[in-house]
Amino acid sequence: MASKLLPVVAVVALLVAGGVGFAVAQTGDTQVAENATVSVSADASVERSPDRATVTVAAIGRGDTAEAARNAVSGDADAVQQALADEGASVTSSRFSIHPEYERTEDGREQVGYVAVHTIEAETDDVENVGALIDAAVDAGADRVDGIRYELSEETQQEAREEALTTAMDRARADAETVAAAEELTVDGVVTIQTSQSGRPVVYAEMAAGGDGGARTNISPGPVTVDATVSVTYELA
């Protein structure tokens, strides 16, 4: 998977003295506050190509009665699920709803029948095949494409997070050493470390649907970004 570190602005470090006031210890010609520490924060971002995609499509049926609407959509829904499976995707969710359909008239609105919607979600790790997956669903009877979501698998996301954390820790220590050197001190050890994760683990694709000329669907997914932040307190000597 492609990987790219993004530039991040480090947070300004703050020199802190523990206890009340300053208890000073003599070390050569330099006076060091007892239990002196420096706290810094740093973050890093890693971009990875998505290796998992979820497609959501829906088959829609209409009828004069709720039963007629349900019957109108049932065959298409079965065909869509089969088409997705034939393309190697795993159907992870199937939802069904039915509701009255109305039209506006001069007197207000009038019920004209019922609408049944069968929504299907399918997941694949063949992200290059998502366009073909959409086409297969539409050809099988899907009336609507509700979305395409690209993500990282758990393994890939963990690898990216570890890389981001390692880079953030390197930046935090470099900042701490810079601040310590300005006071003619050195970083002696770690007192506390806190981490957090944020960012953009999900992206949505831009989709160009095929027209009457027979062209097929083309998908252009972007990268997935994983962010990590560390807050570290170092002891100074």
Side-chain angles (χ1 to χ4, degrees), residues 74-132:
S74 61
D76 286 344
D78 292 341
V80 169
Q81 293 188 66
Q82 186 60 53
L84 292 170
D86 291 344
E87 287 292 329
S90 299
V91 175
T92 57
S93 175
S94 180
R95 303 184 300 275
F96 178 81
S97 65
I98 188 167
H99 58 270
E101 185 175 30
Y102 296 90
E103 285 185 357
R104 290 197 172 276
T105 66
E106 294 181 355
D107 299 326
R109 66 174 188 166
E110 177 183 353
Q111 183 177 343
V112 294
Y114 290 84
V115 178
V117 180
H118 197 134
T119 303
I120 301 161
E121 284 190 359
E123 184 179 284
T124 181
D125 56 6
D126 186 2
V127 296
E128 302 296 329
N129 194 45
V130 170

Side-chain angles (χ1 to χ4, degrees), residues 48-233:
R48 292 288 176 87
S49 298
D51 58 359
R52 177 180 294 168
T54 300
V55 172
T56 304
V57 297
I60 301 172
R62 288 179 167 83
D64 293 335
T65 65
E67 181 180 5
R70 181 196 64 194
N71 293 337
V73 77
S74 61
D76 286 344
D78 292 341
V80 169
Q81 293 188 66
Q82 186 60 53
L84 292 170
D86 291 344
E87 287 292 329
S90 299
V91 175
T92 57
S93 175
S94 180
R95 303 184 300 275
F96 178 81
S97 65
I98 188 167
H99 58 270
E101 185 175 30
Y102 296 90
E103 285 185 357
R104 290 197 172 276
T105 66
E106 294 181 355
D107 299 326
R109 66 174 188 166
E110 177 183 353
Q111 183 177 343
V112 294
Y114 290 84
V115 178
V117 180
H118 197 134
T119 303
I120 301 161
E121 284 190 359
E123 184 179 284
T124 181
D125 56 6
D126 186 2
V127 296
E128 302 296 329
N129 194 45
V130 170
L133 204 62
I134 292 294
D135 291 332
V138 172
D139 291 345
D143 300 289
R144 193 173 70 201
V145 178
D146 288 344
I148 306 167
R149 187 173 72 250
Y150 285 85
E151 302 174 282
L152 299 179
S153 64
E154 291 183 7
E155 180 181 357
T156 303
Q157 185 170 352
Q158 180 61 26
E159 290 174 354
R161 174 169 166 75
E162 290 174 0
E163 182 179 342
L165 282 171
T166 299
T167 301
M169 284 296 295
D170 289 342
R171 291 172 175 168
R173 188 171 188 92
D175 286 350
E177 290 174 346
T178 299
V179 173
E183 295 296 323
E184 298 182 353
L185 302 173
T186 59
V187 173
D188 191 40
V190 175
V191 179
T192 62
I193 301 176
Q194 293 181 328
T195 66
S196 64
Q197 180 177 359
S198 60
R200 298 132 280 172
V202 178
V203 297
Y204 291 84
E206 295 181 2
M207 181 175 64
D212 295 336
R216 310 307 284 172
T217 302
N218 296 315
I219 307 296
S220 301
V224 178
T225 303
V226 176
D227 301 328
T229 300
V230 297
S231 298
V232 190
T233 299

